[in-house]
Amino acid sequence: MSTLTSVERDTTIFDLINKEQHRQESGIELIASENFTSPQVMEAAGSVLTNKYAEGLPGKRYYGGCEVVDEIEQIAIDRLKSLFGATWANVQPHSGAQANTAVFLACLNPGDKIMGFNLAHGGHLSHGSPVNISGKYFQPVFYGVEAETGLIDWDKVEKQALQEKPKLLICGASAYSRDWDYARLRNIADQVGALLLADISHPAGLIAKGLLNDPFDHCHIVTTTTHKTLRGPRGGVIMMRNDFENPFGITTAKGKVRMMSSLLDSGVFPGTQGGPLEHIIAAKAIAFGEALTDGYANYATQVAKNAQAMATAFIDKGYKIISGGTDNHLMLIDLRTKNGVDYGLTGRLAENTLIKADITINKNMVPFDDKSPMVTSGIRVGTAAITTRGMVESDMARIVDLIDMVLMNHDQEAKIASAKTEINTWMKQFPLYV
């Protein structure tokens, strides 16, 4: 008899897992970087594939017994390429940050200059923040939004790039609600001889279904997470539509020029990771398959519709949305004034108060914020998760009404408790896992 069959069930952890499932099912999930996966994605993520070590790539492993995981990983690669019209993909990165780090290792030398979107304006930690490896090992410079519009001025980006001459130009964000001009950015990159990297971690699902501009014909390299609008397991991937000879003169041992895909593969393994998580890769493959369906296309369209309806509802209540609206699934809200009045709201106060009502958002810095990252003047909200539950445009106004009621009565525990009861009852109409 296997010694595994006699292992005592860890009720401490499983009780907490059940508690977390109840939390997810009972409340309104508005964190823009979160979503709910399908049961089959979770089933694969918890499968026996977690037992298999598989350093290397399909057909080129450093371990035996990889015949099955080779098939699974190749299916994940093929489905991902089909989803985005790519010609090459690596599905092994453990996260979006890991995917970006692999790109940096493949394309840069320590001290090289990179130019990315300012974290304080809605950018991402892995695009040059001084507390991240991207800012510690490379020389970061940043572009941002205009104070008056909340939009990126592409003319200013071009002027800055011509002055700074980065080796890598990065586009993409974690809290920017507008589409990106990839064609313009490629023109800028070409002028300064830079590679162009698009990190589409947030809007990837909408891009895959043609709802936003396509970065693939313009950007040399594209990275994304798999767990936001793509609705898959937590992880990352790297893709290209058009492979190309590396511009660094790097050759193989036989003197043949290495293609960029080969450098990127090496950037993942052995550059930044060891064995891939084949159970997560299987879950990715399932999610990519789901994303190829007509049902997912309808879902992505509804995500965008819900975001626009929610933005309108917030604006109608007098809240300030950075850039004045949204093109994707999220919005960044400046809480310093509402209808021109300062109600003393901060991002931290809003996050902590809304949690009491079972509404989950995250505090977020806004451009030109006068508060610390642990306090912030804003919140970020997104519609990916609530759309997965089946909510539509007509539900967005009610959500905003509840948020507004809680925030305007943040010191009234009875009203917050009443909102929580209403939300818990309402969410029973949108079951997650039945």
Side-chain angles (χ1 to χ4, degrees):
M1 179 182 294
S2 168
T3 58
L4 297 177
T5 59
S6 61
V7 173
E8 184 177 348
R9 185 171 177 81
D10 193 332
T11 56
T12 300
I13 295 300
F14 282 105
D15 285 349
L16 288 170
I17 291 173
N18 291 334
K19 186 176 181 180
E20 171 61 13
Q21 180 173 338
H22 176 74
R23 186 196 68 81
Q24 292 181 16
E25 292 178 331
S26 299
I28 297 174
E29 181 54 73
L30 294 175
I31 292 178
S33 53
E34 294 190 7
N35 209 333
F36 303 114
T37 71
S38 68
Q40 63 177 350
V41 166
M42 291 191 292
E43 183 180 354
S47 69
V48 296
L49 296 174
T50 194
N51 301 329
K52 190 69 194 90
Y53 220 106
E55 284 185 349
L57 294 166
K60 301 177 182 178
R61 305 289 190 182
Y62 291 83
Y63 286 76
C66 292
E67 297 83 4
V68 175
V69 294
D70 277 0
E71 289 189 54
I72 291 171
E73 186 168 333
Q74 191 60 54
I75 289 171
I77 292 168
D78 292 342
R79 287 179 178 178
L80 180 62
K81 290 194 297 185
S82 179
L83 183 61
F84 287 99
T87 60
W88 172 88
N90 187 305
V91 299
Q92 293 187 2
H94 302 332
S95 67
Q98 287 287 93
N100 289 338
T101 302
V103 172
F104 299 153
L105 182 68
C107 300
L108 302 170
N109 292 312
D112 281 346
K113 186 177 289 186
I114 61 176
M115 181 171 165
F117 188 43
N118 194 332
L119 176 65
H121 288 203
H124 192 263
L125 193 71
S126 64
H127 297 176
S129 170
V131 299
N132 183 261
I133 189 172
S134 58
K136 289 179 179 291
Y137 280 70
F138 307 104
Q139 182 184 350
V141 294
F142 301 100
Y143 58 94
V145 301
E146 298 300 296
E148 300 78 15
T149 64
L151 298 171
I152 298 170
D153 184 326
W154 302 114
D155 290 337
K156 287 189 176 181
V157 174
E158 180 175 6
K159 182 178 179 180
Q160 184 180 3
L162 289 170
Q163 183 178 35
E164 297 287 354
K165 293 183 171 54
K167 187 172 181 180
L168 182 70
L169 178 60
I170 308 167
C171 55
S174 63
Y176 185 64
S177 60
R178 296 303 186 177
D179 208 349
W180 290 77
D181 190 342
Y182 301 111
R184 180 71 186 277
L185 284 161
R186 177 57 182 267
N187 178 267
I188 295 169
D190 286 346
Q191 289 185 63
V192 300
L195 291 176
L196 180 59
L197 166 65
D199 181 344
I200 61 170
S201 291
H202 271 274
L206 278 63
I207 290 170
K209 293 307 172 183
L211 300 173
L212 293 169
N213 291 335
D214 183 353
F216 282 86
D217 278 336
H218 306 291
C219 301
H220 295 94
I221 305 164
V222 177
T223 61
T224 182
T225 55
T226 53
H227 51 274
K228 299 182 177 80
T229 51
L230 279 178
R231 210 165 59 181
R234 303 191 68 82
V237 297
I238 310 171
M239 298 172 281
M240 290 188 296
R241 179 165 291 163
N242 303 301
D243 201 357
F244 57 99
E245 289 187 354
N246 77 83
F248 319 120
I250 300 175
T251 61
T252 66
K254 296 181 178 179
K256 184 178 179 181
V257 175
R258 292 183 67 181
M259 299 298 287
M260 182 55 68
S261 57
S262 174
L263 291 182
L264 292 170
D265 278 335
S266 297
V268 177
F269 172 81
T272 55
Q273 296 182 178
L277 309 178
E278 292 296 340
H279 53 303
I280 300 301
I281 290 173
K284 289 176 182 178
I286 292 172
F288 302 153
E290 293 173 349
L292 286 164
T293 65
D294 291 340
Y296 180 86
N298 295 334
Y299 161 76
T301 300
Q302 191 62 54
V303 167
K305 288 180 178 179
N306 284 350
Q308 290 163 14
M310 179 172 284
T312 297
F314 272 116
I315 292 170
D316 288 346
K317 290 282 186 184
Y319 290 93
K320 179 184 177 182
I321 294 180
I322 302 299
S323 83
T326 182
D327 296 326
N328 53 36
H329 67 296
L330 62 79
M331 61 213 73
L332 181 60
I333 301 169
D334 189 336
L335 297 174
R336 286 177 288 193
T337 61
K338 177 193 171 189
N339 286 319
V341 178
D342 183 353
Y343 289 94
L345 295 175
T346 66
R348 182 168 66 184
L349 175 62
E351 179 184 294
N352 292 340
T353 305
L354 289 168
I355 284 174
K356 296 178 183 178
D358 280 350
I359 300 173
T360 312
I361 55 92
N362 65 276
K363 61 181 176 292
N364 211 101
M365 293 189 73
V366 297
F368 311 101
D369 208 324
D370 56 358
K371 297 180 179 63
S372 75
M374 292 305 297
V375 177
T376 81
S377 295
I379 57 173
R380 184 188 63 164
V381 298
T383 58
I386 55 176
T387 306
T388 293
R389 296 193 73 159
M391 290 187 166
V392 295
E393 296 99 312
S394 57
D395 298 308
M396 300 303 105
R398 184 175 178 184
I399 291 174
V400 173
D401 283 343
L402 286 163
I403 291 173
D404 183 59
M405 191 273 284
V406 171
L407 293 184
M408 292 297 99
N409 296 279
H410 57 83
D411 56 351
Q412 302 292 317
E413 295 297 329
K415 290 188 177 181
I416 296 171
S418 176
K420 177 178 179 178
T421 299
E422 179 182 343
I423 288 166
N424 295 161
T425 301
W426 186 27
M427 288 304 101
K428 292 177 181 179
Q429 300 176 28
F430 301 96
L432 267 174
Y433 304 113
V434 293

